[in-house]
Amino acid sequence: MNKGYSCVGLFNPKTPENVGSVMRAAGCYGVNSVFYTGTRYDLAKKFCTDTKNVYQDIPLIGVQDLKEIIPHDCVPVAVDLIEGAKPLPNYKHPKRAFYIFGPEDGTLKKEITEFCRETIYVPTEGCMNLAAAVNVILYDRMAKGDNFSNH
């Protein structure tokens, strides 16, 4: 099975609980690395809830700008509940994807959605918790298997 390659970018995550849960999801779904911006997580990471210590196998890297670190040949995909976003059930994931998620208490800035090839969302009543959204997107990627759109 060729699962492709995927990374996660977190724009200014707020809570260590969610980052820990994102890391756990990354381990469950074979993510290659996780990047984050902002300082809020750095201030709170000692309270991290990565109960499986996934950070030992998957890098969690603080960066200044997600656009500057897009992994080689990865398609940046914004995940946000905003107008114009594509619903996840109809979405075909790129073979090499860099999924970028907004903060728990806000939305992605236009400067991020503009450099992303696409913006997708999980159709729900209201917005999801950051870690829940990461789990749903990564599960959908796995469930659709090799049905990628970019190879």
Side-chain angles (χ1 to χ4, degrees), residues 113-127:
T113 58
E114 284 180 340
F115 75 76
C116 291
R117 183 183 295 174
E118 298 171 299
T119 300
I120 60 175
Y121 76 99
V122 179
T124 60
E125 296 291 325
C127 61

Side-chain angles (χ1 to χ4, degrees), residues 31-109:
V31 166
N32 298 87
S33 54
V34 177
F35 302 92
Y36 68 93
T37 65
T39 59
R40 298 189 303 176
Y41 173 67
D42 286 334
L43 296 172
K45 68 183 169 187
K46 66 182 176 182
F47 304 107
C48 190
T49 58
D50 175 10
T51 58
K52 297 213 175 233
N53 295 321
V54 174
Y55 72 91
Q56 295 174 350
D57 299 313
I58 299 172
L60 173 61
I61 305 164
V63 298
Q64 291 293 318
D65 185 353
L66 294 170
K67 182 178 182 181
E68 298 299 318
I69 54 85
I70 299 170
H72 179 69
D73 282 345
C74 282
V75 175
V77 179
V79 181
D80 207 350
L81 188 58
I82 58 174
E83 190 166 332
K86 296 178 180 180
L88 182 62
N90 304 329
Y91 185 66
K92 289 189 176 186
H93 297 266
K95 185 169 184 173
R96 293 179 59 85
F98 181 38
Y99 300 103
I100 300 175
F101 296 82
E104 297 90 327
D105 55 352
T107 189
L108 288 172
K109 294 182 177 187

Side-chain angles (χ1 to χ4, degrees), residues 1-7 29-32 72-74 93-99 141-142 145-148 150-151:
M1 177 178 113
N2 182 358
K3 66 180 179 110
Y5 182 95
S6 63
C7 295
Y29 298 108
V31 166
N32 298 87
H72 179 69
D73 282 345
C74 282
H93 297 266
K95 185 169 184 173
R96 293 179 59 85
F98 181 38
Y99 300 103
R141 177 183 177 83
M142 179 196 71
D146 288 338
N147 189 19
F148 295 110
N150 294 316
H151 68 295

Side-chain angles (χ1 to χ4, degrees), residues 71 73 126 134 139 149:
D73 282 345
V134 171
Y139 174 80
S149 61

